[in-house]
Amino acid sequence: MNGSIHFYDFHPPVADIRDEVLEGLSRRPKQVAPKYFYDRRGSQLFDAITELPEYYPTRTEVDILESNGAQIAELLGNDCMLMELGSGSSRKIRVLLDALQPAAYVPLDISRAHLLDAATTLARDYPQIDVHAACTDYSNGFELPELPDHLARAAFFPGSSIGNFEPDDACALLRRVGCYLGEGGKLLIGVDLKKDTSTLNAAYNDTRQLTAAFNLNLLERINRELAADFQLQCFEHLAFFNEQAGRIEMHLRSTRDQQVRVAGQVIDFAEGESLHTENSYKYSVAEFQALAAGSGFSTEQVWTDDARLFSVHCLRYSG
Ligand code: AVI
């Protein structure tokens, strides 16, 4: 059988990005959504972060997937159409493709160049699988191509990217995934677990400062795409676990009073003022199961590593 590759571009237009960034900069505290980290360089930096000794989530999740591939395949079923949210460099999916042998793979990602590279390589390496790659902001509605409707649907949402959404938004997103899957559809989702604060803080403050570079690259992207003049040396990376909220927060803190132009508007920053760039919620297994239940999913199976750093849940949508 010969697989084929289809590419669908639903990337938001620059005007939408400008409006959303300006709206975030007008808030108190200022904020920009983490989805804007992922231009080509941001995606490359994120890939490098996943290899860092301090950043345990990726290797732990891959270990869990590799150790439980046969059982995962049994629960998700072969020959399905497997959608992946936030596919990035599509590395983890290889473990699943090997175990599951789906008929079609539907990677969704907001980073166009990264998605295209990854989907092309994957289609070459797995010629028996049809690849339908869609560049889309899945956090904001669910724009999808026309897809074959004769295959059972399953979804994979790895990396604890669900933690980058506010709990209410996470619920709404899971509900949309459920509607796409239909009743009985399976979702395999990776969720980072609550743990000691020092391990969490180290994962977002690595000694090579790749996370700092990833955070600051957001300003470089805004400079390039929205005719802005952020001076990167006048902002510093700040990341810490907010125990009360149960999340890592990332910020860019202004090191001086300054004015920045963004798309023709002047934005004032006071010394010490922060631009909030990301939340990364951490859940206990029970907390996440409750969130999933609120979105119409029941738990079929949960796997964790021995140190209970990370969890992978197989969920079933019941509407
Ligand atoms: C993509 N996401 C799950 C990562 C996280 O851990 O929240 C993004 C990240 N931010 C800093 N390091 C990694």
Side-chain angles (χ1 to χ4, degrees):
M1 203 197 328
N2 268 329
S4 52
I5 177 160
H6 311 266
F7 187 75
Y8 312 90
D9 195 352
F10 305 117
H11 193 277
V14 175
D16 290 6
I17 299 175
R18 182 196 61 215
D19 293 351
E20 204 176 315
V21 168
L22 286 174
E23 194 273 325
L25 290 172
S26 73
R27 292 199 193 186
R28 298 292 172 272
K30 295 179 172 66
Q31 57 180 259
V32 173
K35 64 189 175 189
Y36 293 118
F37 283 137
Y38 301 95
D39 63 354
R40 188 188 272 274
R41 175 150 171 74
S43 298
Q44 286 166 347
L45 282 165
F46 178 65
D47 281 350
I49 287 171
T50 65
E51 308 273 341
L52 288 168
E54 296 96 329
Y55 196 76
Y56 58 85
T58 311
R59 64 173 174 276
T60 312
E61 183 177 40
V62 169
D63 280 352
I64 294 172
L65 295 173
E66 279 176 348
S67 314
N68 298 286
Q71 200 189 358
I72 291 171
E74 213 170 287
L75 286 164
L76 265 62
N78 300 120
D79 272 338
C80 64
M81 180 164 63
L82 182 64
M83 178 173 85
E84 182 180 11
L85 290 98
S87 52
S89 57
S90 287
R91 271 185 299 159
K92 287 174 208 160
I93 196 72
R94 288 171 182 263
V95 182
L96 276 194
L97 296 182
D98 293 337
L100 222 64
Q101 312 203 335
Y105 169 54
V106 184
L108 311 182
D109 205 280
I110 194 167
S111 180
R112 189 192 285 115
H114 213 57
L115 174 69
L116 199 51
D117 288 353
T120 308
T121 311
L122 212 98
R124 191 197 57 211
D125 294 348
Y126 292 86
Q128 73 280 18
I129 298 175
D130 284 332
V131 178
H132 298 265
C135 175
T136 181
D137 174 9
Y138 63 79
S139 71
N140 189 14
F142 228 56
E143 215 165 354
L144 285 176
E146 284 277 313
L147 292 166
D149 55 10
H150 62 285
L151 297 168
R153 293 180 170 189
F156 179 44
F157 194 12
S160 203
S161 293
I162 193 70
N164 296 135
F165 293 82
E166 290 304 304
D168 283 351
D169 296 337
C171 243
L173 172 58
L174 292 188
R175 180 65 75 184
R176 286 200 296 276
V177 174
C179 291
Y180 160 83
L181 292 172
E183 202 177 331
K186 304 286 178 69
L187 167 63
L188 189 70
I189 183 165
V191 183
D192 197 10
L193 294 174
K194 287 206 161 108
K195 59 187 63 65
D196 63 284
T197 303
S198 58
T199 303
L200 286 167
N201 283 337
Y204 293 82
N205 291 284
D206 59 284
T207 53
R208 285 184 59 198
Q209 304 197 357
L210 288 182
T211 311
F214 172 70
N215 201 3
L216 283 159
N217 180 63
L218 178 69
L219 301 183
E220 207 150 288
R221 177 180 188 184
I222 295 174
N223 280 350
R224 188 181 61 248
E225 294 187 20
L226 300 181
D229 61 1
F230 280 102
Q231 292 189 49
L232 272 60
Q233 71 278 12
C234 299
F235 288 86
E236 61 190 10
H237 167 73
L238 184 68
F240 57 88
F241 186 60
N242 176 337
E243 190 126 23
Q244 215 182 352
R247 66 193 191 201
I248 284 279
E249 293 186 12
M250 290 217 310
H251 299 259
L252 288 164
R253 187 163 55 189
S254 175
T255 57
R256 57 165 82 156
D257 289 342
Q258 54 182 318
Q259 289 195 322
V260 180
R261 273 186 177 279
V262 181
Q265 291 200 21
V266 176
I267 314 287
D268 288 305
F269 281 89
E271 181 180 344
E273 185 178 353
S274 98
L275 168 59
H276 191 167
T277 52
E278 186 177 63
N279 287 325
S280 192
Y281 282 86
K282 311 299 172 188
Y283 293 97
S284 68
V285 166
E287 282 169 345
F288 185 72
Q289 285 175 329
L291 188 145
S295 317
F297 282 95
S298 56
T299 304
E300 295 223 310
Q301 181 75 46
V302 187
W303 301 269
T304 65
D305 56 301
D306 291 344
R308 291 189 75 86
L309 294 174
F310 201 87
S311 60
V312 175
H313 302 237
C314 179
L315 307 176
R316 180 181 189 280
Y317 189 62
S318 43

